[in-house]
Amino acid sequence: MDYVYGPGKNHLFVPGPVNLPEPVIRAMNRNNEDYRSPAVPALTKLYLRIVDNELKTGTGAWESALTNTLSPGDRIVTFLIGQFSLLWIDQQQRLKFDVDVVESEWGQGANLDILASKLSSDRSHTIKAICIVHNETATGVTNNLATVRKLIDQFNHPALLLVDGVSSICAIDFRMDEWGIDVALTGSQKALSLPTGMGIVCASPKALEASKTAKSVRVFFDWNDYLKFYKIGTYWPYTPSIQLLYGLRAALDLIFEEGLDNVIARHNRLGKATRLAVEAWGLKNCTQKEEWFSDTVTAVVVPAYIDSAEIVRRAWKRYNLSLGLGLNKVAGKVFRIGHLGNLNELQLLGCLSGVEMILKDVGYPVKLGSGVAAAAAYFQNTIPLIPSRI
């Protein structure tokens, strides 16, 4: 029996890891296999239109993106807008790049006016890469990548565009080719709805060309090793997780069966409904402008007399509901509702009802049913028929 057993099902609403669909769980319930047999390369080949490398974690994907395209001392313009962009910046600095940090207040998006100024003044092209987190999970802020690409093109700048799409890819509109993204990365435990343990990196031809002259030290994350085995046809220089590979196939099957556009629209509904509930409760979104609202996570600001960590503790201890803590600068000030992955509208309504009871528990004068009613009214007018059941 689980040490922390609670009756019924745990309601998992952190912004990753997310709920695992039953077909994914079943697909991973298999024995190990020889990854050099014909079966595993055949399975891997199915993914190559989608990914260029598969690694161990999202953090490893960060390192892969940086060390394969850049050399120590290269100048990077990067944006600090929350905890996860901060962690990537820390990695960039420890890898000995010249890191030019553009900092914004937490709850705001990347300051693209400053980016424009830096690009316009960089006539000698000292900026080698622009690193940006598409969706900052700590604050629920989504950056506008199309505008970033527009600025790079406006100044005819050759800098690479490296994007952390960990909590956006397969949930929020993401157009690698159209937006000229050179390296995009994500993690298995977010919108793909897999267990933690697989980072996925997609590299453009420009990024692959840059990797030929990049002088950063890399071993396990060296793209050349992967590319060499791609050409051989076995694909894997090191032993992959067989179970995660089969799980990935099942997860992608589910996404394509629903239709990626429908998946993105569903996440938009979930995000909008959550924001309507927060408004009905009389609370504020940590994200300061509508243009930055995230469709995968909402960070809810609590009154000063409430410790948001107590909301998260009580959710788990009394209601078997898992919510996200406030991190770093917003610790104790916000709690986070994750609404991404294999998740539907009725599941979210259950979460919102739990949050209302918890707010009441900690002394906030919420009207029970107010947020649920606002979200349900929105859903009732927007939920489409399930495509496979029409």
Side-chain angles (χ1 to χ4, degrees), residues 203-216:
S204 72
K206 181 179 175 181
L208 292 173
E209 190 64 28
S211 72
K212 296 176 182 178
T213 56
K215 293 181 173 58
S216 294

Side-chain angles (χ1 to χ4, degrees), residues 18 23 31 81 90 115 130 166 216 231 238 245 263 310 312 351 356 358 363 369:
V18 303
N31 210 331
I81 61 171
D90 175 62
L115 174 63
I130 295 162
V166 169
S216 294
K231 292 175 183 176
Y238 314 108
L245 286 178
V263 172
E310 178 58 26
V312 176
C351 168
E356 291 183 354
I358 298 157

Side-chain angles (χ1 to χ4, degrees), residues 277-344:
V278 172
E279 184 180 344
W281 296 332
L283 296 174
K284 292 184 178 179
N285 194 321
C286 180
T287 309
Q288 295 179 17
K289 290 184 180 180
E290 185 176 353
E291 67 186 86
W292 295 319
F293 283 165
S294 169
D295 285 338
T296 59
V297 56
T298 299
V300 184
V301 180
V302 299
Y305 65 87
I306 295 175
D307 178 2
S308 66
E310 178 58 26
I311 291 174
V312 176
R313 282 192 292 269
R314 187 170 288 264
W316 190 74
K317 287 185 174 183
R318 187 175 188 192
Y319 299 101
N320 204 7
L321 170 63
S322 296
L323 300 171
L325 286 163
L327 302 173
N328 201 321
K329 286 187 177 182
V330 292
K333 300 176 181 178
V334 309
F335 67 93
R336 295 174 297 147
I337 301 172
H339 33 82
L340 75 160
N342 193 267
L343 180 72
N344 65 35

Side-chain angles (χ1 to χ4, degrees), residues 14-174:
V14 297
V18 303
N19 297 281
L20 299 183
E22 288 297 328
V24 170
I25 294 173
R26 290 195 297 270
M28 292 188 299
N29 185 22
R30 60 192 308 126
N31 210 331
N32 283 325
E33 297 178 20
D34 176 10
Y35 73 97
R36 293 191 176 93
S37 73
V40 174
L43 177 65
T44 304
K45 191 173 182 179
L46 296 172
Y47 304 140
L48 293 185
R49 287 181 297 173
I50 304 168
V51 301
D52 284 298
N53 283 303
E54 296 181 52
L55 309 166
K56 290 295 183 184
T57 63
T59 306
W62 278 348
E63 186 171 331
S64 168
L66 295 168
T67 58
N68 280 281
T69 58
L70 299 166
S71 300
D74 279 354
R75 182 183 174 195
I76 298 171
V77 174
T78 190
F79 300 92
L80 173 51
I81 61 171
Q83 178 65 11
F84 295 95
S85 54
L86 174 65
L87 292 174
W88 199 14
I89 288 167
D90 175 62
Q91 187 184 83
Q92 293 160 18
Q93 292 169 335
R94 291 163 70 178
L95 290 169
K96 306 302 182 184
F97 300 116
D98 177 9
V99 185
D100 186 348
V101 180
V102 179
E103 186 168 1
S104 299
E105 181 182 343
W106 288 32
Q108 295 182 359
N111 190 324
L112 300 186
D113 290 336
I114 293 180
L115 174 63
S117 176
K118 290 181 181 294
L119 290 172
S120 67
S121 62
D122 185 32
R123 294 183 176 85
S124 57
H125 296 162
T126 62
I127 300 171
K128 302 303 180 185
I130 295 162
C131 294
I132 187 167
V133 173
H134 187 199
N135 189 77
E136 173 54 67
T137 318
T139 55
V141 166
T142 301
N143 284 306
N144 190 323
L145 299 181
T147 301
V148 175
R149 168 46 60 191
K150 183 177 178 180
L151 289 172
I152 296 170
D153 292 347
Q154 178 182 331
F155 297 105
N156 197 28
H157 202 287
L160 294 165
L161 178 54
L162 312 185
V163 177
D164 170 339
V166 169
S167 60
S168 64
I169 291 175
C170 290
I172 297 172
D173 191 21
F174 192 95

